[in-house]
Amino acid sequence: MRDQQISELTTNRLSLYLRFLTELDGKGVESVSSKVLAEQFGLNAALIRKDLAHFGGFGVRGLGYVVKDLRQQLHSILGLDQKLQVAIMGAGNLGLALADYQGFGQEGFRIVALFDTEAKKVGMRSRKGVLIRHSRKLKTVVRREKIAIAVIAVPAQEAQQVVNTVVEVGIKAVLNFSPGTIRVPDGVKLKNVDLTVSLESLSFHLADRQGGGVKWGI
Amino acid sequence: MRDQQISELTTNRLSLYLRFLTELDGKGVESVSSKVLAEQFGLNAALIRKDLAHFGGFGVRGLGYVVKDLRQQLHSILGLDQKLQVAIMGAGNLGLALADYQGFGQEGFRIVALFDTEAKKVGMRSRKGVLIRHSRKLKTVVRREKIAIAVIAVPAQEAQQVVNTVVEVGIKAVLNFSPGTIRVPDGVKLKNVDLTVSLESLSFHLADRQGGGVKWGI
DNA sequence: TTTTGTGAAACGCTTCACAGCT
DNA sequence: AGCTGTGAAGCGTTTCACAAAA
């Protein structure tokens, strides 16, 4: 398998499946069918089978999927076997909140450092103890701590510059929270979380009253 | 126009166009072509024309779009003419950070209140002064302040319950930051921002090295 | 000439439907 | 019988290509 490219829509769903499988495993459930998964997420069962079949048939016909095995497989497929180190750029409100956010540490990520250029913040820590370092130290820390992902939580006007810097020191994956268009070179994966876009999308639907059927996003 | 349903992909892009138009207007630029917009966002020019044509042809052939007019139109289409009131459920790290987040207040939203069930938090304020109220007061405050959007920033295990409550008091738009599957009735618009899914998507691409071309998401 | 607005074609994702395995 | 894996159909989105307008 793995003949086609895996779309982002698929990887997002894999992530959801993994979370649910972990929950099922915790409850001692041993197997699960695509039908049950489909009901859980409001998706079509065939879609779930296709998502999983991309990586080789680990289903059992007549039975479904073995929860423990599938969980392990997805964990590995999503690259969560080696705990990835994450740096957060910008120790403002949002950066500090993200540094302490429970969900981040959960599955396979570790927040190694916050970076900021403001001298008076440097040396301080988030509530949960993540150290704020000066952005000058980025290169050294990224190399020493093997940081793989940068989260951008700086004001919009600084964002492109900060992204350029993290790309220069060799980071290949960027999660951007700042609004506006960011450019990265080929080979670097950028994911945008744009809070304004999200809110304005809700605003549109409130203004528009287009029927209002519900979709089970992301 | 407006014969078809407008997809979420389209509304997300409208939001991006609006932000850029505001920037252009600030710089005194008077008109802009779909080609320039396309380059800015890494999109196809025809797509941008289609997006805008849904709402009636406000382009000028041979010239492009008049920045001020188009900005005004998009602002109105996105429902930003009346400032929408927003409540944040959960005054933890994330809730407090979101309450103070600059980008939120910017375009047409006002954070009216934070809600929490923890007695010792009630009565306190975020750094920028948003009051924390007890969740019991939700119904009263939503009605008095005409709150239209709820942002969910509570732990995963409470999220569905909290969403049920905000839906009961009449809120029709929910921005959910908590991980896991949330269900809302028809007529309520739900948008999920799932930080774990975002990070795991990056992790997948780091593990997979599938070429790595860049897409200009959201 | 430049650039919009838009049918038609191309593409990608999802759903259907069923053969095949347990 | 139950459920997966998958080719084919269906559907939605994007791109192409060009007529029409300024």
Side-chain angles (χ1 to χ4, degrees):
Chain A
M1 312 287 142
R2 294 311 316 281
D3 39 347
Q4 316 148 52
Q5 279 255 350
I6 305 303
S7 83
E8 182 126 0
L9 294 168
T10 301
T11 64
N12 288 346
R13 286 190 300 264
L14 293 179
S15 190
L16 295 179
Y17 305 157
L18 173 58
R19 183 151 60 206
F20 185 55
L21 288 164
T22 302
E23 198 184 317
L24 288 179
D25 192 29
K27 286 182 187 160
V29 177
E30 303 214 329
S31 72
V32 66
S33 67
S34 60
K35 185 159 173 284
V36 168
L37 290 168
E39 276 156 14
Q40 170 67 20
F41 300 109
L43 301 171
N44 180 291
L47 177 60
I48 288 171
R49 294 199 296 276
K50 279 240 158 92
D51 282 347
L52 299 175
H54 278 127
F55 303 95
F58 18 76
V60 185
R61 286 166 199 239
L63 202 129
Y65 300 86
V66 176
V67 170
K68 267 196 202 310
D69 292 357
L70 184 56
R71 198 194 90 74
Q72 169 51 42
Q73 291 279 3
L74 290 182
H75 197 266
S76 164
I77 287 163
L78 289 170
L80 303 172
D81 287 341
Q82 78 283 44
K83 242 190 162 47
L84 290 175
Q85 317 295 306
V86 178
I88 295 178
M89 308 303 296
N93 275 318
L94 188 60
L96 286 165
L98 292 172
D100 289 350
Y101 179 61
Q102 299 283 358
F104 265 13
Q106 227 156 354
E107 200 58 70
F109 302 98
R110 201 167 75 83
I111 312 282
V112 172
L114 281 153
F115 288 92
D116 207 295
T117 48
E118 222 177 293
K120 67 179 179 187
K121 287 182 179 170
V122 174
M124 295 174 68
R125 288 174 186 273
S126 75
R127 292 190 211 180
K128 292 237 173 92
V130 179
L131 182 63
I132 303 174
R133 293 188 164 94
H134 196 284
S135 305
R136 274 193 304 264
K137 301 287 171 62
L138 182 68
K139 194 171 191 169
T140 318
V141 179
V142 164
R143 293 194 177 172
R144 195 177 58 219
E145 308 268 1
K146 298 189 173 48
I147 290 167
I149 299 179
V151 174
I152 310 299
V154 300
Q157 72 271 19
E158 298 168 30
Q160 182 64 63
Q161 172 57 49
V162 169
V163 169
N164 293 350
T165 311
V166 305
V167 168
E168 272 163 32
V169 303
I171 283 176
K172 295 275 186 277
V174 176
L175 180 57
N176 175 46
F177 282 88
S178 96
T181 312
I182 297 288
R183 291 181 175 278
V184 292
D186 274 17
V188 176
K189 173 82 184 164
L190 172 69
K191 187 130 184 173
N192 290 301
V193 175
D194 194 317
L195 302 180
T196 305
V197 169
S198 299
L199 272 190
E200 291 184 357
S201 160
L202 290 175
S203 173
F204 174 82
H205 285 273
L206 288 174
D208 195 65
R209 302 271 92 243
Q210 323 182 37
V214 180
K215 283 188 188 165
W216 304 102
I218 299 211
Chain B
M1 313 289 145
R2 294 310 315 282
D3 40 348
Q4 316 147 54
Q5 279 254 350
I6 304 304
S7 82
E8 182 126 2
L9 294 168
T10 302
T11 64
N12 288 347
R13 286 190 301 264
L14 294 179
S15 190
L16 295 179
Y17 305 157
L18 173 58
R19 182 150 62 206
F20 184 56
L21 288 164
T22 302
E23 198 185 318
L24 289 179
D25 192 29
K27 285 182 187 161
V29 177
E30 304 214 329
S31 72
V32 66
S33 67
S34 60
K35 185 158 174 286
V36 168
L37 289 168
E39 276 156 14
Q40 169 67 20
F41 299 109
L43 301 171
N44 181 291
L47 177 59
I48 288 170
R49 294 198 296 275
K50 279 238 158 91
D51 282 347
L52 299 176
H54 278 127
F55 303 95
F58 18 76
V60 186
R61 286 169 200 239
L63 202 128
Y65 300 86
V66 176
V67 170
K68 267 195 202 311
D69 292 356
L70 184 56
R71 199 194 89 75
Q72 170 51 42
Q73 292 279 4
L74 291 182
H75 196 266
S76 163
I77 287 163
L78 289 170
L80 302 172
D81 287 342
Q82 79 282 45
K83 241 189 162 48
L84 289 175
Q85 318 295 307
V86 178
I88 295 178
M89 308 303 296
N93 275 319
L94 189 60
L96 286 165
L98 292 173
D100 289 349
Y101 179 61
Q102 300 284 356
F104 265 13
Q106 226 158 353
E107 199 57 71
F109 303 98
R110 201 167 75 85
I111 312 282
V112 172
L114 281 153
F115 289 91
D116 207 294
T117 48
E118 223 177 292
K120 67 178 178 185
K121 286 182 181 171
V122 173
M124 293 173 69
R125 288 173 186 273
S126 76
R127 292 190 212 180
K128 292 237 174 91
V130 179
L131 182 63
I132 303 174
R133 293 188 163 94
H134 196 284
S135 305
R136 273 193 305 264
K137 301 286 171 62
L138 182 68
K139 194 171 190 168
T140 319
V141 179
V142 164
R143 292 190 178 175
R144 194 178 59 218
E145 309 268 2
K146 298 188 173 49
I147 290 168
I149 299 178
V151 174
I152 310 298
V154 301
Q157 72 271 18
E158 297 169 32
Q160 182 64 63
Q161 172 56 51
V162 169
V163 169
N164 293 349
T165 311
V166 305
V167 169
E168 272 163 33
V169 303
I171 283 177
K172 294 275 185 277
V174 176
L175 180 56
N176 175 46
F177 281 88
S178 96
T181 313
I182 297 288
R183 292 180 174 278
V184 292
D186 274 18
V188 176
K189 173 81 185 165
L190 172 68
K191 187 130 185 174
N192 290 302
V193 175
D194 193 316
L195 303 180
T196 305
V197 169
S198 299
L199 272 189
E200 291 184 356
S201 160
L202 290 175
S203 173
F204 174 83
H205 285 273
L206 288 174
D208 195 66
R209 301 272 92 243
Q210 318 183 38
V214 181
K215 283 188 186 165
W216 305 101
I218 299 207

